[in-house]
Amino acid sequence: MAKSRTVNEAEPVVIKKYANRRLYNTETSSYITLDLLSQMTREGREFTVVDAKTGEDITHNVLTQIIMEEEQRGKNMLPVNFLRQLIAMYGDSMQSMVPQYLEASMDAFRKNQQQFQEAMKGAFGGGPLAEIAKRNMQMFEAAASAFGTGVPGMPGMAAPASPSEVSKDDEINDLKAQLAALNAKIDKLT
């Protein structure tokens, strides 16, 4: 009996791009937009974009176009200095190594991000880091309150602490100790 496939394991969807710039999803037999391709990417759904006339694989160009549109919408994720360095690498003797390096770096970043998110879920869900996370939040709230400004978007953090409640030096030392302990636990997880 054949094993059923999950969305991530399914064969890549073939998207045909026509001369009029329209994108046709062969799986759903419907025209789609770059926004839908972006959503498919975020969901981990693999796809290949081919030129409808020539059959040439143009996935790279379309993915680059999606990034350009995201950047134009003000969702800038690529720093100007990074873009300049990337452009400077074109034609360089090391150009062939850049794609593998960037891919490996992004894979490592994703793995670290997932491990951190799992650790934080455990921390706020009563796991081994729960007490540390709780104390860090209390310290953070106290620090924000001590400056009298509060933290925008963080409810319950605008009330200033009285000087008798918290000594700033003790608070800073406690924050440093908490951060060091949290970093040590994260290092053990990774």
Side-chain angles (χ1 to χ4, degrees), residues 10-82:
E11 291 294 318
V13 176
V14 175
I15 308 294
K16 292 184 179 180
K17 185 171 185 178
Y18 289 93
N20 63 3
R21 295 183 172 178
R22 293 193 73 185
L23 299 165
Y24 184 78
N25 183 334
T26 60
E27 184 179 64
T28 62
S29 300
S30 62
Y31 288 99
I32 62 172
T33 63
L34 286 176
D35 285 338
L36 287 174
L37 286 181
S38 180
Q39 181 180 347
M40 286 173 65
T41 302
R42 286 184 188 96
E43 293 170 352
R45 185 70 166 108
E46 294 288 327
F47 59 85
T48 302
V49 183
V50 295
D51 184 287
K53 185 175 182 181
T54 65
E56 176 187 1
D57 184 341
I58 57 171
T59 308
H60 185 273
N61 296 349
V62 172
L63 291 172
T64 304
Q65 187 177 356
I66 291 170
I67 291 170
M68 293 284 296
E69 286 198 4
E70 293 289 339
E71 291 285 317
Q72 287 175 354
R73 288 183 187 142
K75 300 177 181 175
N76 298 21
M77 189 173 7
L78 302 173
V80 172
N81 194 38
F82 171 80

